[in-house]
Amino acid sequence: MRIASAFTALCGLQGTFAAASTAWPWQTYKSSPHEPPSLKISKSGPTSPGYLFFDQSWDAHQYSVFIMSDSNELVWQGPYGDLKGFRVQELDGKPVLTYFNGLGVPEPFGWGYGIVQVLDQNYKSIYNVSVINDNYKALGSINSTSFVSWIDMHENTITSDGTMLVTGYNVTKCDLSSVGGPENGWIADSLFYEIDVKTNDILFRWSAKDHLDQIPLEDVQPFYPVEDWGHNSSTPYGYFHINSVEKFNDGSFLISSRYYCSLFKISKDGSVDWTLQGQTGGDFDLKGVQWAYQHDARIHKEHEDGFVLSIFDNANSDVVNGTHHTEGMFMNVNLAKNEVSSLRALHDPSDEIYALSQGNTQLLPGGHAMMGYGSNPKIKEYNANGTCVMTAQFGEDGVIASYRAYRSPWVGIPTTAPDVFSCVDKSQNKTNVFMSWNGATEHKQWKIFGGTNHTDLSPVSVARSTGFETSVSVQAGLKYVRVEAHGRGIEKGVSKVAAVKHAC
């Protein structure tokens, strides 16, 4: 089932997009309609292997997902749509691409409704993970009658069990009188699920509202006061704001709440085992660490007495902003002593960033780390010493955003045909040929065929692949061309026959 573009049309998503900014440059090609941003890249040291994976939204020229190289070359651009959380994961021992595809509800709400798509190395959608029947109600200002799934944008982690962890937001009634809100109030309840990727069976479901006895509304007031929220379904009180889910080896879960500035361990029966609060510590003593309004809490190196934790410490939100810079934090969580201590904190002192929302911290091989800065359109890589060795910017601050950004190795083998465009260069008495193959990573050489009859084409040139689009000048007098992409260990890609345009 092809849902890559269907969901956006089904939900009327285009109507929610902001006007595209024209201030930041984008790339164009003769042979392809894709228009990725032009990355402003600076490097000061070696980086980890792999491509950059990121989405683009807010006032972006094109809402989509992108694979790009450190040399500002496009590798693959996905379909047009509100797509988020784009990355490489593993399913059944094979690399796959995953991303949220749906309707993003902008701040001050900041959640979404949609599916998670799983693509194979051929860029074919092989699974569409969804939550269909769970008595959801959307934000009151949104017509949800055509929704095909209720999964939120914040999470799409595939576990080693072949399941996926996802989040959801349900607008529902709740008594808010204990914190000064209306008795017949409305909240945006945060939920998470563990779902079988292949069957969409829900294996585990958790709701924050069901655990107000362990996570009371009073605890969130210092960081996200109720104020005028909660009087109707169009302005629900989004007090919890779940934004990541991880699974411990014992089958319990680690979840992140943006507005509680807290992480919670959720047991297999749904109860809250402990709270790790970024300002007070909660059930832990904080040894020289603090954070607030965090995203992307990840578990590393579980051991008998605890684990290593990484977070993207926004330290900013729509409530508090501009006070503390954003950091990527790695911490040791000692469960035996109930202590949390710092291992390293990552930030670039030459380019302090105050990320209002979104963002992630990815651990890379060799102790490197990648950070996507969410509301700030930058990607940075840090080495094992904590020094920033690369910055890639793809938009103006406060204008363009990317929910998360990653670096990963990737082998793309598209089954679509390469694209070709050709035109006559009268000034040089030559025929110019432009060729590209969206998503291909393994082709090294192009073979160009031409002639005056579209059914009888002969070899006219061979060219080394040079980036996303390769161009070459060949003999004059051709009426038709065709190109073939070749590389070791792959099937050749053969384009359609294209008529040569009269002028370039």
Side-chain angles (χ1 to χ4, degrees), residues 33 50 61 70 92 98 127 129 158 171 209 227 231 259 288 327-328 330 355 357 364 369 396 424 426 435 464 496:
H61 173 65
D70 286 9
D92 295 333
T98 60
Y127 299 109
V129 181
I158 296 177
V171 177
K209 182 187 176 186
E227 295 184 339
H231 288 274
Y259 289 133
E327 293 184 334
F330 288 83
S357 65
L364 296 170
E396 292 184 309
V424 175
K426 294 181 179 179
M435 59 217 93
R464 181 175 60 88
K496 294 179 180 179

Side-chain angles (χ1 to χ4, degrees), residues 184-253:
N184 295 313
W186 291 85
I187 62 168
D189 185 20
S190 286
L191 301 96
F192 79 86
Y193 302 85
E194 184 174 12
I195 298 178
D196 187 300
V197 170
K198 299 175 182 178
T199 67
N200 278 332
D201 291 338
I202 295 174
L203 307 177
F204 186 88
R205 176 190 186 276
W206 186 88
S207 157
K209 182 187 176 186
D210 291 344
H211 298 276
L212 287 173
D213 58 332
Q214 292 186 287
I215 311 176
L217 292 170
E218 289 81 359
D219 289 356
V220 80
Q221 297 308 303
F223 313 105
Y224 195 69
V226 67
E227 295 184 339
D228 293 330
W229 294 107
H231 288 274
N232 55 61
S233 64
S234 295
T235 58
Y237 182 39
Y239 72 100
F240 195 91
H241 201 101
I242 190 170
N243 57 31
S244 70
V245 187
E246 281 271 272
K247 195 173 184 180
F248 286 101
N249 290 335
D250 66 2
S252 60
F253 303 91

Side-chain angles (χ1 to χ4, degrees), residues 8-330:
T8 57
L10 192 62
C11 296
L13 182 59
Q14 287 84 348
T16 69
F17 289 170
S21 171
T22 59
W24 192 268
W26 59 84
Q27 304 181 55
T28 59
Y29 311 100
K30 294 284 189 180
S31 61
S32 171
H34 297 304
E35 297 182 344
S38 182
L39 302 180
K40 180 181 178 182
I41 299 172
S42 60
K43 277 191 175 184
S44 58
T47 56
S48 295
Y51 299 113
L52 305 177
F53 293 74
F54 63 99
D55 58 82
Q56 187 175 239
S57 60
W58 286 10
D59 289 354
H61 173 65
Q62 288 195 331
Y63 270 52
S64 190
V65 289
F66 305 89
I67 305 175
M68 297 188 71
S69 74
D70 286 9
S71 55
N72 195 29
E73 289 288 348
L74 178 67
V75 175
W76 183 73
Q77 180 173 331
Y80 182 76
D82 198 352
L83 317 178
K84 289 183 169 59
F86 179 47
R87 58 173 160 164
V88 178
Q89 299 196 72
E90 189 174 286
L91 181 65
D92 295 333
K94 298 179 180 179
V96 294
L97 299 173
T98 60
Y99 57 80
F100 165 88
N101 183 358
L103 170 66
V105 184
E107 299 286 355
F109 303 106
W111 63 77
Y113 307 104
I115 62 173
V116 175
Q117 287 190 254
V118 182
L119 279 60
D120 63 14
Q121 287 181 273
N122 305 129
Y123 303 97
K124 290 184 177 179
S125 185
I126 54 175
Y127 299 109
N128 295 309
V129 181
S130 61
V131 169
I132 300 172
N133 299 312
D134 198 14
N135 298 315
Y136 267 81
K137 179 178 176 60
L139 194 69
S141 57
I142 293 176
N143 181 358
S144 63
T145 55
S146 297
F147 281 13
V148 297
S149 173
W150 293 91
I151 288 178
D152 166 55
M153 67 181 67
H154 282 97
E155 189 59 272
N156 62 16
T157 292
I158 296 177
T159 73
S160 58
D161 300 318
T163 62
M164 182 177 286
L165 305 175
V166 300
T167 54
Y169 281 74
N170 181 35
V171 177
T172 186
K173 288 270 194 175
C174 184
D175 183 357
L176 298 175
S177 59
S178 64
V179 290
E183 182 177 355
N184 295 313
W186 291 85
I187 62 168
D189 185 20
S190 286
L191 301 96
F192 79 86
Y193 302 85
E194 184 174 12
I195 298 178
D196 187 300
V197 170
K198 299 175 182 178
T199 67
N200 278 332
D201 291 338
I202 295 174
L203 307 177
F204 186 88
R205 176 190 186 276
W206 186 88
S207 157
K209 182 187 176 186
D210 291 344
H211 298 276
L212 287 173
D213 58 332
Q214 292 186 287
I215 311 176
L217 292 170
E218 289 81 359
D219 289 356
V220 80
Q221 297 308 303
F223 313 105
Y224 195 69
V226 67
E227 295 184 339
D228 293 330
W229 294 107
H231 288 274
N232 55 61
S233 64
S234 295
T235 58
Y237 182 39
Y239 72 100
F240 195 91
H241 201 101
I242 190 170
N243 57 31
S244 70
V245 187
E246 281 271 272
K247 195 173 184 180
F248 286 101
N249 290 335
D250 66 2
S252 60
F253 303 91
L254 178 72
I255 64 172
S256 168
S257 165
R258 178 183 181 185
Y259 289 133
Y260 276 92
C261 302
S262 297
L263 312 180
F264 302 97
K265 183 183 180 184
I266 307 301
S267 70
K268 289 183 284 187
D269 66 6
S271 61
V272 180
D273 280 350
W274 47 252
T275 300
L276 174 52
Q277 214 283 334
Q279 298 291 296
T280 66
D283 295 323
F284 293 81
D285 290 329
L286 300 180
K287 300 296 184 179
V289 295
Q290 278 192 322
W291 67 86
Y293 305 110
Q294 78 290 332
H295 283 74
D296 196 44
R298 301 298 166 192
I299 301 165
H300 310 278
K301 299 180 181 178
E302 282 193 69
H303 50 84
E304 184 177 355
D305 290 333
F307 61 98
V308 173
L309 167 70
S310 69
I311 63 168
F312 181 83
D313 175 23
N314 294 79
N316 298 280
S317 72
D318 50 333
V319 181
V320 176
N321 188 33
T323 302
H324 301 287
H325 64 242
T326 297
E327 293 184 334
M329 298 180 65
F330 288 83

